[in-house]
Amino acid sequence: MKLAKWLLGPLAALGILAGCATSMTDIKGFNMISIEQEKELGNKFAVEIEKQQQPVNDPEVQRYVDKVGKRLLSGARAVEFDYVFKVVKDDSVNAFAIPGGRVYVHTGLLKAADNETELAGVLAHEINHAVARHGTRQMTQEYGYSLVLSLVLGDNPNMLAQLAGQLFGKAGMMSYSREYENQADFLGVETMYKAGYNPNGLTSFFQKLNAMDGGTQSNVARFFSTHPLTSERIQRVQAEIAKLPPQRYLTDETEFKKIKGRLK
Ligand SMILES: [Zn+2]
């Protein structure tokens, strides 16, 4: 009995560690919504979001976010959706992914970022919410399968319009579990590294937001409400980055500066 107890501690610890490592890389978590259904839901949400938040209509800005997004996708674990990246006119610091591989960036976030690597950090985090399909998984948990399915089928247009803005767009109330946030960070670091971006861009941007106003003022509050930036979270990301072998990262910032200039 004594021996068994003595063994249980370390074994349990090993089990927890193994479970943790698996869940961080497991992007195929249980989801009752199919890939095709999620694409359909994303298309419907996008129509509503873009009624509420106006996309920036500048081909150069579009070409640039497409380029950064595409580069990041080369480092993602899976690309099951046709990813779409859009910049929307909104001076608050925010970015969000809706189901089906659609990622939105506010002009306010582009202005707050100091370089392409910081922008890539935020995009890598959002891309991985889509890669691991956190949106449909969380919605199914919160609202139930039948409601999400009714949105997919177009049976509930009022609810669809309401939830699009409430969860992802204007109000941005979608709050992922801590587990999902940690996974998006973990995979975000990996995606950046594989795509040739310095993953420190993610933590440096997080730290900058924290320093700006501690997450209490309106301008960055939305990002904080959907992605709480605790010091524990930042330390966890830094610890992951420290494990990576050194490599040469992208450092050319001429294009980023040009694009930022166009937003003024
Ligand atoms: Zn997040």
Side-chain angles (χ1 to χ4, degrees), residues 93 109 112-113 118 122 200-210:
V93 182
L109 190 137
E118 287 186 349
V122 174
N200 283 313
L202 182 64
T203 44
S204 82
F205 193 67
F206 281 178
Q207 280 166 325
K208 181 181 296 168
L209 291 187
N210 261 346

Side-chain angles (χ1 to χ4, degrees), residues 56 58 61 87 89 91 107-108 110-114 256-264:
V56 170
D58 178 334
V61 173
V87 179
K89 282 179 197 161
D91 271 342
T107 45
L110 272 163
K111 288 174 188 170
D114 274 333
F256 178 83
K257 284 188 188 121
K258 209 171 101 190
I259 294 302
K260 240 179 121 161
R262 292 183 77 86
L263 295 177
K264 273 177 188 155

Side-chain angles (χ1 to χ4, degrees), residues 18-92:
C20 193
T22 320
S23 70
M24 280 294 161
T25 54
D26 177 19
I27 55 166
K28 304 266 179 213
F30 181 70
N31 196 334
M32 289 167 82
I33 302 296
S34 71
I35 292 283
E36 286 309 313
Q37 287 173 329
E38 182 167 334
K39 284 182 184 172
E40 188 57 42
L41 184 62
N43 293 341
K44 290 192 162 78
F45 270 149
V47 172
E48 292 304 324
I49 297 272
E50 290 166 35
K51 279 183 199 165
Q52 298 168 17
Q53 284 175 287
Q54 199 191 350
V56 170
N57 192 13
D58 178 334
E60 280 219 40
V61 173
Q62 189 56 50
R63 194 189 46 77
Y64 178 70
V65 286
D66 284 342
K67 195 188 83 171
V68 177
K70 203 171 166 190
R71 183 178 175 135
L72 284 166
L73 287 172
S74 72
R77 285 199 172 228
V79 183
E80 292 184 285
F81 302 116
D82 304 319
Y83 278 78
V84 177
F85 298 90
K86 283 192 182 172
V87 179
V88 289
K89 282 179 197 161
D90 191 322
D91 271 342
S92 62

